[in-house]
RNA sequence: GCGCCCGUAGCUCAGCCGGAUAGAGCACUCGCCUUCUAAGCGAGCGGUCGCAGGUUCGAAUCCUGCCGGGCGCGCCA
């Protein structure tokens, strides 16, 4: 159910009829033709640019073409008025009944309203969080987690088959460092060693738990043994331990990913060797010497032959190294194998959510995906900027080196899941975000979380009152949907219905753009309009939702109130925020 | 030096696969507030969309070049 898609069908029919009548040349591309609500509602309910887009191939001036199209739109029975305006827009006004029918549809569908067939079941993989299992999730990780999760939900609503995935970076130096750091804490737990953590090890206190758990499981089994003996088992122990914690944190955040892919398993399964073999045979790999970066040559730079991927053949700026000098693969090489693995699992469309500090790797990864899938796979990477934590305006200092940071758990315990999830979507992903513990829990207009949730709660408060005022009346969604809604006639009421009717359009455009934050902004606008309508009842008693002496009107207005609540709930569902009937 | 992201009202930000007079909240100013239903409400003020060119019926939006800020730049992930 999407009225603008319906309108587009009618428009297309009209244009095809014009072609049939010889008024337009055959074979025109309607690609750029749009029909959408005009920015200024005084222009009408919908506007199309068809005349301006098609005038050139038709050999007509925009307004001439518009005048020919206009009567065909006038002929549609639900169109009450059209006009040709500006450079050649056709503005269209629809009968009020169209909008009331939309509202009835919303009540019948519930939060399924806005579901789209845009994706038509195509498979999309969204990979997010993917934090190294070397420590607990921080407040910063929360952003990528929420953006990825909401994006996945959004795509699901838009009709894609979505896989929510986490890539465990459990290979390489960082997890070796983790193992060594854990070993120190393990000795400490056994009452030995030095509690001072030397340079080059992870200093975080959280590793004490890991060391203790290891000591509890294995006793002094690893004490005094060679690193070669304990490195692997302790590494695996620590990774399992920390991944367990990460999953718990994610669960508290409302994130449940279906697939956890292990980098190590990929390597051990020979996937990296395989993909590099394929690339080599295709001639995409060679041994060469890279130029040092201009203007900023690293101190220890020396020209050195390396195994390189011809990323420049696929849109990158320089070719990229695949192998370390010890013979093991670089992270990039492993990541190529990983993305091919996703592709082979059926995900031609892949979306990765990364921190902004990884932005420099986007081009090479996209180049690799192109090379390795023969151009059939597409990778979109969304990068998330930093989250700056504040408490009532005072910055909360964090230092990963010093091991002092705000964990995700801390934030969740302080403000709750709903607040975290909502706030993380109140900025476009590429914009830095300020998270102020005091402000995000404030109950005021300034706090979008409160403002939107309150709209939902207020709607249900009204419904509770209506149930008392209208005892015995059917206020169920089905009952409301079956009503005669013609008492809804005030422009402000119809304007709200029109905004609700725009929800499916919002879902589709946000899904296409891979931009879940748009849902948060839409909900803020919707909430503002709902609250404003509520407030009108203060100045003008005839606009109150509940009019004791007019049951039919009150019932129709309950349909509107409930419709607004449904759309709010539908949006919150994508964001992973709970709608509360009482606050 | 190169690449990517950002630059929109005093502040924080939407809008950006081109569309009509550029939006919201805060702040500020002016009113209202013995409220059905709830943590106030309404109105106003406020912008050469970083700068300069270009593309076209039309540019905040696309292209080029500058300026300013952030991130990144061979064996970290």
């Amino acid at each position: 159910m999407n009225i603008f898609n319906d309108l587009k069908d009618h428009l297309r029919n009209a244009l095809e009829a014009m072609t049939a009548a010889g008024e337009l040349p055959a074979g025109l591309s309607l690609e750029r033709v749009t029909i959408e609500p005009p920015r200024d509602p005084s222009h009408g309910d919908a506007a199309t640019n068809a005349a301006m887009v098609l005038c050139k191939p038709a050999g007509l001036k925009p307004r001439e073409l518009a005048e020919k199209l206009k009567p065909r739109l006038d002929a549609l029975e639900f169109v009450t008025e059209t006009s040709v305006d500006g450079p050649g827009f056709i503005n269209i006004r629809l009968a009020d009944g169209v909008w009331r029918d939309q509202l009835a549809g919303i009540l019948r569908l519930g939060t399924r309203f806005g579901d789209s067939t845009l994706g038509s079941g195509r498979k999309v993989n969204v990979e997010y969080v993917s934090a190294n299992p070397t420590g607990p999730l921080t407040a910063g990780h929360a952003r990528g987690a929420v953006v990825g999760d909401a994006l996945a939900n959004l795509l699901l609503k838009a009709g894609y088959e979505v896989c929510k995935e986490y890539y465990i970076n459990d290979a390489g130096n960082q997890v070796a460092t983790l193992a060594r750091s854990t070993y120190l804490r393990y000795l400490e737990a056994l009452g030995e060693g030095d509690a001072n953590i030397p340079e080059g090890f992870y200093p975080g206190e959280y590793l004490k738990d890991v060391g203790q758990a290891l000591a509890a499981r294995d006793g002094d089994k690893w004490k005094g043994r060679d690193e070669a003996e304990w490195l692997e088992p302790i590494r695996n122990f620590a990774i399992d331990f920390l991944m367990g914690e990460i999953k718990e944190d994610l669960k508290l955040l409302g994130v449940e990913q279906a697939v956890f892919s292990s980098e190590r398993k990929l390597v051990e399964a020979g996937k990296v060797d395989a993909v590099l073999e394929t690339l080599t045979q295709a001639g995409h790999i060679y041994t060469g010497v890279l130029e040092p970066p201009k203007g900023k040559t690293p101190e220890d730079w020396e020209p050195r032959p390396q195994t390189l991927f011809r990323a420049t053949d696929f849109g990158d700026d320089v070719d990229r190294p695949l192998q370390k000098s010890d013979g093991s693969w670089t992270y990039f090489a492993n990541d190529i194998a990983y993305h091919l693995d996703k592709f082979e699992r059926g995900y031609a469309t892949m979306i990765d959510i990364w921190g902004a500090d990884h932005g420099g790797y986007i081009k090479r990864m996209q180049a690799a995906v192109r090379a390795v899938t023969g151009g059939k796979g597409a990778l979109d990477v969304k990068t998330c900027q930093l989250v700056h934590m504040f408490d009532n305006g005072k910055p909360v200092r964090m230092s990963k080196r010093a091991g002092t940071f705000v964990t995700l758990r801390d934030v969740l315990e302080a403000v709750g899941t709903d607040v975290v999830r909502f706030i993380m979507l109140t900025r476009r992903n590429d914009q830095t975000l300020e998270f102020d513990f005091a402000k995000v829990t404030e109950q005021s207009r300034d706090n979008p979380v409160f403002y939107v949730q309150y709209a939902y709660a207020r709607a249900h408060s009204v419904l509770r009152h209506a149930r008392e005022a209208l005892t015995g009346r059917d206020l169920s969604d089905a009952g409301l949907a079956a009503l005669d809604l013609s008492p809804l006639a005030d422009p402000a009421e119809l304007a709200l219905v029109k905004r609700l009717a725009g929800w499916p359009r919002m879902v589709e455009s946000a899904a296409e753009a891979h931009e879940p934050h748009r849902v948060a902004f839409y909900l803020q606008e919707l909430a503002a309009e709902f609250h404003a309508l509520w407030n009108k009842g203060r100045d003008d008693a005839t606009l109150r939702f509940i009019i004791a002496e007019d049951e039919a009107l009150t019932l129709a207005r309950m349909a509107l109130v409930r419709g607004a609540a449904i759309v709010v709930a539908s949006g919150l569902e994508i964001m992973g925020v709970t709608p509360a009937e009482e606050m």
Side-chain angles (χ1 to χ4, degrees):
Chain A
M1 186 177 150
N2 180 340
I3 183 152
F4 290 97
N5 286 348
D6 299 345
L7 289 173
K8 189 153 190 186
D9 289 341
H10 285 109
L11 175 62
R12 192 178 298 120
N13 290 341
L15 291 167
E16 280 165 8
M18 287 178 74
T19 305
E23 293 172 327
L24 282 175
L28 277 187
S29 164
L30 304 186
E31 188 78 9
R32 293 171 57 220
V33 174
T34 60
I35 182 158
E36 49 193 20
R39 190 176 298 161
D40 182 350
S42 73
H43 287 144
D45 295 322
T48 178
N49 63 356
M52 291 176 292
V53 169
L54 301 176
C55 63
K56 199 169 271 178
L60 292 168
K61 289 182 177 165
R63 293 191 68 108
E64 285 174 5
L65 204 165
E67 290 297 344
K68 292 192 176 193
L69 175 56
K70 181 180 186 302
R72 295 184 185 274
L73 298 176
D74 283 325
L76 297 166
E77 80 272 27
F78 51 84
V79 170
T80 55
E81 189 192 336
T82 63
S83 60
V84 178
D85 292 304
F89 287 102
I90 303 176
N91 288 319
I92 302 163
R93 205 171 290 277
L94 305 178
D96 290 348
V98 170
W99 300 110
R100 296 189 192 108
D101 290 348
Q102 287 285 306
L103 178 56
I106 294 169
L107 291 162
R108 276 191 294 270
L109 285 171
T111 53
R112 280 175 305 153
F113 176 62
D115 286 8
S116 164
T117 55
L118 178 74
S120 47
R122 284 191 299 272
K123 293 176 79 173
V124 181
N125 183 289
V126 186
E127 181 222 315
Y128 52 106
V129 192
S130 300
N132 294 339
T134 54
L137 294 179
T138 65
H141 289 121
R143 186 168 190 183
V146 172
V147 167
D149 207 50
L151 175 55
N153 293 342
L154 175 62
L155 292 168
L156 219 47
K157 192 167 181 71
Y160 293 88
E161 188 190 314
V162 181
C163 177
K164 298 181 175 182
E165 184 152 338
Y166 186 119
Y167 181 49
I168 309 171
N169 299 128
D170 52 4
N173 292 333
Q174 295 193 0
V175 284
T177 302
L178 170 70
R180 295 188 188 101
S181 308
T182 300
Y183 189 71
L184 295 182
R185 295 299 191 181
Y186 161 74
L187 294 179
E188 190 184 329
L190 292 174
E192 314 225 349
D194 186 348
N196 289 324
I197 304 301
E199 193 74 16
F201 291 77
Y202 294 130
E205 297 272 311
Y206 59 88
L207 285 180
K208 287 185 179 175
D209 295 343
V210 188
Q212 264 162 17
L214 180 63
R217 190 191 72 172
D218 292 350
D220 62 2
K221 181 174 169 185
W222 306 110
K223 199 171 75 180
R225 306 265 285 269
D226 275 356
E227 177 179 302
E229 291 180 71
W230 55 254
L231 188 76
E232 190 167 321
I234 290 186
R235 182 194 61 207
N236 293 344
F237 180 86
I239 290 171
D240 287 348
F241 187 99
L242 292 168
M243 277 309 299
E245 303 242 300
I246 286 171
K247 285 181 189 178
E248 268 180 56
D249 288 353
L250 287 174
K251 196 169 181 181
L252 285 176
L253 186 62
V255 173
E256 288 191 60
Q257 285 147 298
V259 175
F260 286 78
S261 285
S262 155
E263 180 184 7
R264 172 170 300 276
K265 285 193 182 137
L266 214 65
V267 175
E268 285 170 357
K271 299 268 193 173
V272 184
D273 302 284
V275 71
L276 295 190
E277 178 56 28
T278 310
L279 285 172
T280 303
Q281 281 179 10
H284 300 322
I285 289 176
Y286 69 104
T287 302
V289 181
L290 285 178
E291 295 284 311
K294 293 212 170 60
K296 197 216 165 199
T297 308
E299 308 272 319
D300 58 347
W301 180 274
E302 53 179 88
R304 184 181 293 140
Q306 299 179 97
T307 306
L308 299 171
F309 164 60
R310 286 190 199 279
T312 46
D313 286 353
F314 299 92
D316 200 358
D317 308 306
V318 289
D319 294 336
R320 305 292 183 176
L322 296 167
Q323 206 165 20
K324 305 182 198 172
S325 54
D326 69 358
S328 65
W329 301 119
T330 60
Y331 175 80
F332 176 53
N334 293 349
D335 225 3
I336 295 175
Y338 174 49
H339 282 81
L340 176 60
D341 182 65
K342 286 196 267 194
F343 179 75
E344 286 173 343
R345 280 186 274 137
Y347 299 102
T349 305
M350 298 169 246
I351 303 174
D352 291 359
I353 312 293
W354 293 354
D357 54 342
H358 290 56
Y361 284 74
I362 296 175
K363 275 192 181 180
R364 81 185 62 172
M365 204 57 244
Q366 288 175 331
V369 166
R370 236 169 265 144
V372 99
T373 66
K376 291 199 274 288
L379 170 68
D380 184 20
V381 180
K382 310 300 278 185
T383 56
C384 290
Q385 265 296 349
L386 298 178
V387 178
H388 292 129
M389 308 299 291
F390 291 84
D391 194 5
N392 212 359
K394 286 200 306 283
V396 178
R397 287 278 162 233
M398 287 193 273
S399 160
K400 208 162 187 182
R401 250 203 318 268
T404 60
F405 44 80
V406 181
T407 63
L408 171 57
R409 186 77 62 104
D410 293 338
V411 182
L412 288 174
E413 280 168 5
V415 304
T417 302
D418 286 339
V419 167
V420 174
R421 292 196 61 124
F422 199 108
I423 293 294
M424 291 299 168
L425 293 167
T426 54
R427 289 285 181 279
R428 185 157 33 99
N429 54 294
D430 260 317
Q431 196 79 240
T432 58
L433 185 151
E434 291 187 7
F435 188 103
D436 190 310
F437 285 95
K439 285 185 185 158
V440 299
T441 48
E442 200 173 271
Q443 300 204 332
S444 77
R445 173 77 182 88
D446 313 355
N447 179 1
V449 192
F450 167 75
Y451 197 63
V452 171
Q453 287 207 302
Y454 177 38
Y456 186 85
R458 175 173 260 176
H460 282 274
S461 167
V462 173
L463 284 161
R464 282 193 297 274
H465 283 266
R467 273 184 213 107
E468 287 168 25
L470 304 171
T471 43
R473 288 290 175 182
D474 182 6
L475 292 180
S476 70
D477 290 350
L480 294 172
L483 288 173
D484 170 19
L485 297 176
S486 56
L488 289 179
D490 188 88
E493 292 171 332
L494 290 170
L496 179 56
V497 176
K498 288 172 189 179
R499 187 182 291 278
L500 300 178
W503 169 237
R505 203 176 154 269
M506 242 299 308
V507 170
E508 290 191 352
S509 60
E512 276 185 312
H514 299 168
E515 290 187 348
H517 73 274
R518 294 195 196 183
V519 173
F521 283 92
Y522 171 85
L523 289 185
Q524 288 180 67
E525 286 166 12
L526 170 55
E529 187 159 353
F530 178 75
H531 289 308
L533 184 58
W534 186 91
N535 284 314
K536 280 201 174 196
R538 292 151 68 108
D539 296 333
D540 179 355
T542 66
L543 279 178
R544 292 182 183 184
F545 291 132
I546 297 170
I547 307 289
E549 58 277 14
D550 191 340
E551 273 201 2
L553 178 61
T554 303
L555 282 166
R557 286 182 176 168
M558 288 314 105
L560 175 57
V561 167
R562 180 59 191 148
I566 286 170
V567 176
V568 170
S570 178
L572 290 179
E573 197 170 285
I574 291 171
M575 299 173 71
V577 175
T578 332
E581 297 196 3
E582 288 182 77
M583 298 181 73

